[in-house]
Amino acid sequence: MKFLLLYKGDYASTLRGPEMRYFSLAKELVLMGHEVSLCGRTALPKCLPKNVSFVSVNRLKEVVKAFLYSDVILLHGGGPLVIFLAIVAGFFQKRIVLDSYVPHWIELDELSKTSAPLQNIKILVKSYFNALRGLFAGVAFDCIIAANRRQEDLYRGIVAPFSLTKDFFRISLIPFGCSEPGEYSRERGRRLLSELADGEISNNNFLIGWLGGTYGWFDLEGVLQEVSKALTINESIRVVFFGVSQERKMQLLEHVAPDVRSHIIFLPWIDFSKRFEYWSGFDISLVWGGEGYENDYASRTRNFDCLTLGLPIVQNWDDEWGARLESTGAGRVADRSNLSDVLYELSISPEKVSEMRKSMLDIAPSFYWVRFAEKLIDVVSIPPMSFVRRFCGVLAFFFILPASLVFFIYNLLLTLKKS
C-alpha cells in the first residue's frame, strides 16, 4: 500500500510529538514493504527515514498529487484545505484516517481557563474548528484512530446520532508507541544531567524527572506542595524540570517550602533527539494531570518514552495508564493525599524501583512502533467508504454547520462579555 502521513510539522534532527510518531511509523511501514510519504512544513533529507519521500504542505500541486497517488491518507489535524483534499481523495476511493491523539479541542478548552481574556477568543475559534473536524471525520472519513478507551467512547458518542452503532467499527484504538531499548546508560545519564545542572545534581540524589511541559491543566501547584513535604523528609530527593520560563519558575516555587526550593532543578530544554540520553539518569518519572476532563481523555505520551528506558512512573489515576501500572507493577498510582509518602518510600527503596524498572521493560514490546504499524494495517484493510455513504456524510455535515454556528456565536458573546 501507498501511505501519506500528514502533519504540519518540521522533520529535522529534533522530533517532537506527532513528527516523532510519524517518523517512527514511516520507518516501520517501509520495513514492512509499503511505500510511504511524509507531508509537513519542512524536512532535512538526512533526517528522513530511509526510502521515505517528503512532500511540503506549502507546495499545493505536490500535495494534491500525493493525495491522489496514495492508498491511505493519515491526517493529524489539518486545516480547511487539507480537509477539502481529503474529501476529494475519498471520492476517489482513498482510505482517509483521522489520527486523533488527543482530541485537541479538549486541551484547548482546558487551556482557556488559564489564558488571558482576549486570547480566549482565538482558543474558542480553534476549539470549535478542531471539534467540528472530529465530527466530520466521524461522518465522512473511513477511520478514526484513538489512543485509549475514553477517546474511543468519545468518538462513538459523536457518531451515534448519525449512524447509531453501525459506524463504531470505523473507530479504532491504537495506543501510542515506543522505541525499542537502546544503549542508554543510567550512569552516563546522571553525568549528563549533572553537567547540565552545573553540579547541582550528585550521585547520591534520588532523581525525579518531570518530562513534559508545565501547562496549567497539570495541577503542578498542588503536586509541588506534596513534593515539598517529601523533600523536607528526605533531602537527597531532587525534582528536575526542563525548559521552564523564568516567570513560570517563580510561580511554581511559590508552592515549595523555602528551605528546599534549591532541590527543584530547572534545566534548559534538550533536543528530543537526545532526550533518552538524559532521561536515562532518572530514578522515576512523575506524571500528573489535573482533576478535569482533559485528564480523562488524555493519553500520557511521555509515559511511552518511559517504556523505552524502563523508567518507573508515579502518576495520578487515569483509565489508561493507571490500570496498566497497577496490573503490571511498573509504577505507582497515587493521589494528592499520599503522593509525598509514595515518593519518600521509593526514594529509600532502591529494590522496589529496580523491580518497577524491570516491569516497565517487560511490557514495552507490546507497544513497539512495529505493533502500531501492524494495527494500522489491520484498520485500513477494510474496504473504503462507498461514494454514496461518503456523500451522505459530507451532506449531513454541512446541514449541521448552521446549528454549530449558533452555539459558537453564543460562546463568543460570553467570552467577549468576560473580557
Side-chain angles (χ1 to χ4, degrees):
M1 281 191 284
K2 303 179 185 70
F3 284 83
L4 176 65
L5 313 181
L6 189 151
Y7 173 70
K8 291 184 178 180
D10 300 297
Y11 295 88
S13 58
T14 299
L15 294 173
R16 299 182 60 183
E19 295 102 327
M20 180 269 292
R21 180 163 75 252
Y22 282 11
F23 176 94
S24 303
L25 177 59
K27 186 166 60 174
E28 297 297 342
L29 288 171
V30 166
L31 290 174
M32 295 168 69
H34 301 284
E35 189 175 336
V36 183
S37 296
L38 283 171
C39 187
R41 281 191 297 261
T42 61
L44 294 175
K46 66 179 181 180
C47 297
L48 292 173
K50 188 176 181 181
N51 296 324
V52 172
S53 59
F54 178 75
V55 179
S56 171
V57 293
N58 299 318
R59 297 184 176 181
L60 180 59
K61 188 175 180 180
E62 290 185 13
V63 175
V64 172
K65 284 182 179 179
F67 268 76
L68 297 179
Y69 178 74
S70 303
D71 300 311
V72 178
I73 300 161
L74 181 63
L75 306 174
H76 183 82
L81 178 59
V82 168
I83 300 302
F84 173 76
L85 290 176
I87 296 172
V88 173
F91 284 125
F92 280 91
Q93 293 293 282
K94 313 298 182 180
R95 294 171 184 81
I96 314 298
V97 184
L98 179 67
D99 166 14
S100 187
Y101 288 43
V102 179
H104 192 40
W105 76 89
I106 295 176
E107 287 184 334
L108 291 171
D109 207 28
E110 282 279 320
L111 184 61
S112 69
K113 297 176 182 178
T114 57
S115 300
L118 292 179
Q119 177 69 8
N120 284 346
I121 297 174
K122 181 179 179 180
I123 292 175
L124 181 68
V125 173
K126 290 182 68 176
S127 298
Y128 262 88
F129 180 80
N130 278 277
L132 288 172
R133 182 174 55 209
L135 171 60
F136 181 75
V139 296
F141 282 10
D142 296 273
C143 306
I144 296 175
I145 57 174
N148 54 39
R149 291 291 179 195
R150 281 287 187 113
Q151 292 179 21
E152 183 183 45
D153 287 341
L154 174 68
Y155 282 108
R156 285 179 172 181
I158 288 173
V159 304
F162 304 98
S163 59
L164 303 178
T165 63
K166 295 180 179 63
D167 278 341
F168 279 10
F169 76 97
R170 300 187 187 279
I171 303 161
S172 299
L173 192 159
I174 309 180
F176 207 80
C178 71
S179 303
E180 297 186 27
E183 296 299 320
Y184 302 110
S185 162
R186 184 164 174 267
E187 290 71 25
R188 182 171 186 273
R190 292 181 79 89
R191 186 172 69 254
L192 289 172
L193 288 170
S194 180
E195 291 171 358
L196 198 60
D198 198 20
E200 292 184 74
I201 293 173
S202 62
N203 287 333
N204 65 343
N205 288 143
F206 182 81
L207 298 184
I208 302 172
W210 181 274
L211 307 183
T214 59
Y215 308 111
W217 60 71
F218 286 138
D219 187 28
L220 263 173
E221 290 78 5
V223 169
L224 283 174
Q225 289 174 5
E226 298 304 312
V227 168
S228 180
K229 297 176 184 177
L231 292 172
T232 303
I233 301 171
N234 184 354
E235 293 194 353
S236 72
I237 297 175
R238 297 290 184 273
V239 182
V240 180
F241 292 86
F242 295 93
V244 181
S245 69
Q246 189 62 34
E247 180 184 3
R248 186 62 171 144
K249 289 179 190 177
M250 296 300 102
Q251 293 173 349
L252 295 175
L253 288 176
E254 288 178 3
H255 303 276
V256 181
D259 55 336
V260 292
R261 284 178 181 173
S262 62
H263 298 174
I264 307 294
I265 311 296
F266 295 100
L267 299 181
W269 188 253
I270 54 173
D271 286 350
F272 256 56
S273 59
K274 299 178 180 177
R275 67 193 185 281
F276 292 139
E277 297 176 35
Y278 287 83
W279 294 355
S280 60
F282 290 124
D283 292 289
I284 62 171
S285 169
L286 178 61
V287 183
W288 209 267
E291 298 298 327
Y293 39 81
E294 192 279 335
N295 188 50
D296 291 339
Y297 293 104
S299 178
R300 307 189 192 210
T301 53
R302 292 287 72 78
N303 286 19
F304 291 91
D305 285 333
C306 294
L307 285 175
T308 298
L309 296 168
L311 183 60
I313 298 164
V314 174
Q315 66 162 67
N316 60 336
W317 177 261
D318 68 352
D319 287 335
E320 180 186 11
W321 270 94
R324 186 174 294 149
L325 294 178
E326 286 197 338
S327 64
T328 63
R332 294 284 294 273
V333 178
D335 54 38
R336 283 270 300 277
S337 65
N338 72 342
L339 176 59
S340 59
D341 293 334
V342 169
L343 295 178
Y344 172 71
E345 176 194 345
L346 294 177
S347 72
I348 61 171
S349 307
E351 68 288 346
K352 289 184 180 179
V353 175
S354 294
E355 291 172 7
M356 292 160 65
R357 190 178 294 273
K358 182 179 181 301
S359 296
M360 283 291 285
L361 290 173
D362 287 344
I363 65 175
S366 299
F367 300 97
Y368 288 165
W369 286 112
V370 64
R371 304 285 181 262
F372 188 110
E374 289 169 349
K375 291 175 183 177
L376 179 63
I377 295 295
D378 288 341
V379 166
V380 299
S381 295
I382 64 173
M385 189 179 284
S386 69
F387 182 96
V388 173
R389 170 63 183 81
R390 203 180 302 271
F391 179 79
C392 288
V394 173
L395 188 64
F397 178 76
F398 282 108
F399 279 127
I400 295 164
L401 281 179
S404 299
L405 181 62
V406 171
F407 277 96
F408 170 75
I409 293 173
Y410 170 74
N411 283 294
L412 177 61
L413 292 174
L414 285 182
T415 303
L416 290 170
K417 182 179 179 181
K418 292 176 183 177
S419 63

